[in-house]
Amino acid sequence: SSEVLEAIENVIQGVLQSLAQKKAPVLTVANRTDWRNIEFKDSVGLQMIPGCTTKQIRSDCPQSARRFALMLKILSMIYKMVQSNTYATKRDIYYSDTLLFGSQSVVDNIINDISCMLKIPRRSLHVLSTTKGFVAGNLSYTEEDGTKVNCTCSATVFTVPSNVQGIKNLTSHAKFILIVEKDATFQRLLDDDFFSKVSPCIMITGRGIPDLNTRLLVRKLWDSFQIPIFTLMDADPHGVEIMCVYKYGSVSMSFEAHHLTVPYVKWLGLLPSDLKRLNICKDALIPFTKQDENKLASIQKRPYIACQPLWKKELEIMAATKLKAEIQALTSVSSDYLSRVYLPNKLQFGGWL
């Protein structure tokens, strides 16, 4: 905490020095969303380059004066929380003055900028994310406040903890981890008792694009158990994008790549090549939209696809057919085909990329 306080004090000292010299104070932050500031490293994923380009948030410029003020406001809130060892969610910060902040996304963005500017992970700033992810299966752990969580002995779903760094005593006999894109599929696998039928496993869903805590938990499970991690996504560009976030990270959070990415993640399904192989009926397939085409073209250009020749082939199949399918398309074969046939066969015979 002293490191965080010192980092904030240094920023404020810079502001005061500028004022003393009758200069307009300026905050300098990295261009987090610029691909030119990102490098791809196989063992880490997408990470920010050391000498990346920056932008100035000036206090004397109409376009940025408001953002400058909001950054100082949130810095002061973080400073007080670290001093008093209290925590707040991003929602708490937004609702402390909705008129001032205007929208939740403004708060989220500024907190990421502050984290990047101070070079301090967000959880060390005492700002928690609201969790939307779920976890189930062969896993037990103790939360920071001493609460014992045991996912193993029931088909109950547990919310991913809001302070993943604080959990300890993780134990599991799982043979693998399965990341499921969507809540509906996750619930279906739970109903079918999948995680105990095939072999003990841990199931996680970020319910779409994963939040920070879900990504932190996947990383923590990998560091703790070093067991295979598979993804089960829709066979569409959006599903591939979500899988890439788990495996390689996202551009906007590349400054925290070391804590968030798991480059060992494997693509289990639904593969575009599965659709033809399993003879999925045409009615269950959905034609591409223009948005799908653009998203796929953008993914195909990314630096990590070049080092994944098998992924590249799958994306080419998708681009050629211009068809996508949700995981639910497998029910066109039979209602429990996913848990009874598809996943057990894939896991037994190594049908992942």
Side-chain angles (χ1 to χ4, degrees):
S1 61
S2 59
E3 188 192 329
V4 182
L5 296 175
E6 193 182 336
I8 296 172
E9 284 160 11
N10 288 340
V11 171
I12 302 306
Q13 200 172 359
V15 170
L16 293 173
Q17 277 170 349
S18 297
L19 291 169
Q21 293 161 6
K22 300 210 168 12
K23 288 181 188 165
V26 168
L27 297 174
T28 305
V29 298
N31 276 326
R32 288 186 297 111
T33 53
D34 190 337
W35 272 94
R36 288 169 300 184
N37 284 332
I38 309 298
E39 64 178 358
F40 169 64
K41 201 172 170 192
D42 213 4
S43 59
V44 182
L46 299 174
Q47 60 176 7
M48 196 170 267
I49 57 173
C52 67
T53 61
T54 56
K55 56 185 176 186
Q56 291 196 325
I57 298 168
R58 301 189 61 85
S59 58
D60 62 345
C61 166
Q63 283 85 1
S64 61
R66 176 180 158 72
R67 191 171 186 81
F68 178 91
L70 292 180
M71 281 187 80
L72 288 191
K73 166 78 174 168
I74 292 177
L75 276 169
S76 85
M77 293 172 86
I78 290 168
Y79 192 84
K80 282 175 193 156
M81 288 192 297
V82 174
Q83 265 188 328
S84 59
N85 197 24
T86 54
Y87 288 81
T89 65
K90 294 183 297 178
R91 276 183 85 72
D92 294 334
I93 291 174
Y94 168 60
Y95 280 110
S96 70
D97 199 333
T98 52
L99 281 175
L100 176 71
F101 294 118
S103 75
Q104 181 70 61
S105 62
V106 167
V107 172
D108 298 357
N109 218 313
I110 286 176
I111 287 164
N112 285 343
D113 272 346
I114 286 172
S115 174
C116 186
M117 176 176 75
L118 301 179
K119 294 185 170 54
I120 288 170
R122 195 168 73 192
R123 57 206 164 277
S124 302
L125 302 176
H126 286 229
V127 178
L128 303 173
S129 310
T130 313
T131 298
K132 65 177 181 127
F134 290 145
V135 60
N138 195 295
L139 175 69
S140 59
Y141 55 86
T142 309
E143 291 199 358
E144 196 184 29
D145 62 1
T147 308
K148 286 183 169 55
V149 176
N150 189 353
C151 312
T152 309
C153 56
S154 66
T156 315
V157 169
F158 290 87
T159 305
V160 168
S162 58
N163 186 0
V164 173
Q165 290 313 101
I167 66 173
K168 49 192 182 290
N169 307 331
L170 286 90
T171 52
S172 176
H173 301 294
K175 297 285 183 279
F176 62 92
I177 295 162
L178 182 66
I179 300 171
V180 182
E181 178 185 347
K182 287 193 300 206
D183 193 22
T185 310
F186 183 83
Q187 298 292 346
R188 179 66 207 243
L189 290 172
L190 272 181
D191 294 344
D192 291 349
D193 198 20
F194 170 76
F195 64 81
S196 56
K197 267 185 192 159
V198 179
S199 65
C201 74
I202 300 166
M203 291 202 313
I204 291 181
T205 179
R207 296 160 76 199
I209 295 170
D211 59 298
L212 199 69
N213 292 327
T214 305
R215 290 173 63 190
L216 283 167
L217 182 62
V218 171
R219 176 64 201 231
K220 183 141 191 153
L221 292 173
W222 166 255
D223 290 339
S224 303
F225 304 123
Q226 306 267 310
I227 52 178
I229 303 181
F230 301 112
T231 57
L232 180 62
M233 305 279 150
D234 288 341
D236 66 9
H238 189 63
V240 174
E241 171 101 286
I242 289 170
M243 175 171 58
C244 291
V245 168
Y246 284 107
K247 187 175 173 75
Y248 295 123
S250 58
V251 173
S252 63
M253 292 300 287
S254 57
F255 63 95
E256 270 212 62
H258 288 269
H259 308 288
L260 293 172
T261 60
V262 186
Y264 307 93
V265 163
K266 303 280 183 238
W267 188 1
L268 186 68
L270 187 58
L271 302 177
S273 58
D274 289 340
L275 304 179
K276 190 175 180 185
R277 184 176 63 82
L278 300 171
N279 208 8
I280 301 292
C281 74
K282 286 277 190 285
D283 294 348
L285 305 179
I286 308 158
F288 261 26
T289 62
K290 189 71 192 148
Q291 199 179 359
D292 290 325
E293 285 181 44
N294 295 341
K295 168 77 78 187
L296 181 58
S298 135
I299 293 170
Q300 285 176 304
K301 288 191 196 112
R302 290 187 193 165
Y304 44 70
I305 297 300
C307 68
Q308 289 281 2
L310 296 175
W311 283 32
K312 201 170 169 220
K313 270 187 192 158
E314 294 293 331
L315 299 184
E316 282 164 4
I317 292 170
M318 213 189 277
T321 59
K322 287 194 166 61
L323 291 170
K324 58 183 181 177
E326 296 184 330
I327 299 160
Q328 284 83 342
L330 293 174
T331 56
S332 67
V333 183
S334 74
S335 63
D336 60 349
Y337 186 78
L338 174 67
S339 58
R340 186 176 53 84
V341 181
Y342 181 81
L343 288 175
N345 280 354
K346 282 249 172 182
L347 292 160
Q348 189 180 345
F349 300 113
W352 56 81
L353 307 178

